[in-house]
Amino acid sequence: WNIKTGGNFRDEATGKEIGKNIPHFSQLLSPDDSARISAPRQKLFTVREKRVHPLKDTKILADWNGLMIAAFAKAGRAFNKPEYSDAAKIAVDFIAAEMRQENGELWHRWRDGFTAVPGQLEDYAFMIYGLLELYETTLNLTCLETALNYNEILSRSFSDEKGGGYFMTAEHAEQLIVRPKEIYDGAIPSGNSVQLLNLFKLARLTGNPEFEKRAIDTGKAFSGRIERSPSNFAQALIGLQFASGKSAEIVVVGEPENEQTKAMLQLIRSFYDPGRTVLLKTPGNSAQLEKLAPFTKEQEMIGGKTTVYICRNFACEKPVNSLEELKARLR
């Protein structure tokens, strides 16, 4: 139990021992040990239940969930673990069902069935970020469509049309003495930094230059501050690196359950390329995809085989439909 004569607990503020013990185990227990201590643990629990319970933080926040959705989606894709991407999808579905207003706008907080605080910049930017990562993992167009819907609200309610970038509070929110606008990346990234990357990605995924223009305006709005102290704006630099580095917009056209389609997608994902975006066009989603990304309209399967189109700087190379040639192109 790690109980010591002089106590095993130090005061958090002073670091000094206070002569009291917190029973705990420093290593995993064997099945025999677990069975042996079950009775004393129950005795401890019975006594502990007589105490006033500590307050518990059980709120659910849209912005923090957006970051977590992105993390689970990336992990699911990188490690080929469907349970991770499933966890991300469950969170997306919860927020859509419980934290969206009738007009499509987000609530910032949910707790015990009650929502409060209208969505702020981080709620929208982080959720868009999570949805784009989940789209790249699942290739379910609903994720991309929802990200575009949130982006429309964000653009309408938070844009600084004169100075560039985005305010932290919505236009119709409570009026403050000063309407804040921030890009500093601290313990969590700023809404402007994440939205910078979102806009560049949306431009590549949809072929819509308006998204890239807005991203450039955002970069210009904060460029002086970033140049003076780049280490304080790490997430913003990721967005700028995505825009200025080598890029590839890849469209895979084929039946989703076809083994060749799966093999080509797996090959694409096996190459680490942070400047890449991927779209999957199937017979079942072609109309929806062409609406979201009109540049895919002319891209079809060749010879009835899964076909891959690799586009760079909005110009597409000759399509390929063999794994060997695709591997050579990706290299």
Side-chain angles (χ1 to χ4, degrees):
W1 297 91
N2 281 292
I3 291 173
K4 299 177 181 177
T5 303
N8 66 14
F9 182 75
R10 294 177 181 272
D11 182 84
E12 290 186 25
T14 64
K16 294 181 179 178
E17 294 181 349
I18 61 174
K20 294 185 179 181
N21 286 280
I22 295 180
H24 68 280
F25 302 107
S26 54
Q27 60 185 21
L28 293 175
L29 301 176
S30 69
D32 289 342
D33 288 334
S34 296
R36 183 169 53 83
I37 66 169
S38 61
R41 285 189 70 178
Q42 184 58 48
K43 287 182 180 180
L44 280 172
F45 183 73
T46 301
V47 174
R48 187 172 175 175
E49 278 292 277
K50 297 176 183 177
R51 299 179 181 177
V52 176
H53 280 224
L55 295 176
K56 302 176 182 70
D57 187 351
T58 58
K59 65 181 179 291
I60 291 175
L61 303 179
D63 53 350
W64 289 7
N65 269 270
L67 294 177
M68 202 70 217
I69 288 163
F72 272 111
K74 282 186 172 187
R77 185 166 71 248
F79 301 118
N80 195 26
K81 293 278 190 179
E83 57 267 36
Y84 294 159
S85 49
D86 288 346
K89 185 179 183 304
I90 289 169
V92 166
D93 291 344
F94 176 89
I95 289 169
E98 301 290 339
M99 298 182 69
R100 286 181 78 172
Q101 304 175 44
E102 290 184 4
N103 62 4
E105 294 182 3
L106 286 169
W107 290 106
H108 171 63
R109 189 195 77 204
W110 179 99
R111 183 177 183 274
D112 291 342
F114 295 96
T115 51
V117 186
Q120 300 176 26
L121 174 62
E122 283 78 6
D123 297 306
Y124 289 97
F126 294 2
M127 279 301 300
I128 294 167
Y129 174 48
L131 285 160
L132 291 178
E133 290 295 343
L134 187 57
Y135 170 72
E136 209 169 333
T137 299
T138 65
L139 298 171
N140 184 332
L141 275 181
T142 301
C143 295
L144 178 56
E145 196 167 38
T146 305
L148 286 165
N149 290 338
Y150 286 151
N151 186 73
E152 185 178 345
I153 296 170
L154 188 156
S155 180
R156 182 174 68 242
S157 301
F158 296 88
S159 292
D160 181 356
E161 299 296 344
K162 292 182 180 179
Y166 298 90
F167 294 108
M168 296 173 70
T169 57
E171 190 175 37
H172 54 273
E174 178 185 356
Q175 294 300 303
L176 306 174
I177 297 173
V178 177
R179 197 175 174 198
K181 188 173 72 170
E182 187 54 77
I183 197 169
Y184 173 74
D185 297 318
I188 60 173
S190 71
N192 271 291
S193 292
V194 172
Q195 183 61 4
L196 184 69
L197 178 60
N198 291 342
L199 288 166
F200 280 125
K201 280 197 171 186
L202 286 171
R204 303 270 175 83
L205 286 165
T206 65
N208 186 345
E210 180 60 27
F211 293 134
E212 185 155 339
K213 179 181 179 301
R214 283 192 170 275
I216 291 170
D217 289 344
T218 300
K220 286 179 178 178
F222 299 103
S223 60
R225 294 171 63 186
I226 295 172
E227 188 173 11
R228 285 192 297 272
S229 182
S231 62
N232 290 328
F233 308 99
Q235 179 64 38
L237 291 175
I238 290 173
L240 294 171
Q241 184 182 38
F242 179 87
S244 60
K246 292 182 179 180
S247 66
E249 299 83 58
I250 301 175
V251 182
V252 180
V253 187
E255 295 281 355
E257 298 304 320
N258 181 279
E259 291 303 320
Q260 180 80 345
T261 303
K262 292 179 180 179
M264 285 184 158
L265 286 170
Q266 186 59 38
L267 177 62
I268 292 167
R269 288 170 174 170
S270 70
F271 284 81
Y272 176 68
D273 184 2
R276 174 193 66 217
T277 56
V278 180
L279 291 167
L280 175 63
K281 183 177 182 181
T282 71
N285 78 1
S286 57
Q288 184 185 10
L289 180 60
E290 289 167 13
K291 184 179 178 181
L292 300 175
F295 75 92
T296 64
K297 188 172 184 180
E298 305 301 324
Q299 296 172 345
E300 303 290 345
M301 284 190 289
I302 297 175
K305 295 181 179 180
T306 301
T307 305
V308 178
Y309 295 79
I310 301 177
C311 309
R312 305 180 196 278
N313 299 317
F314 301 102
C316 295
E317 302 171 358
K318 181 182 176 182
V320 298
N321 54 16
S322 77
L323 281 170
E324 292 74 19
E325 190 175 356
L326 177 60
K327 185 183 290 186
R329 290 280 188 89
L330 292 172
R331 282 177 174 167

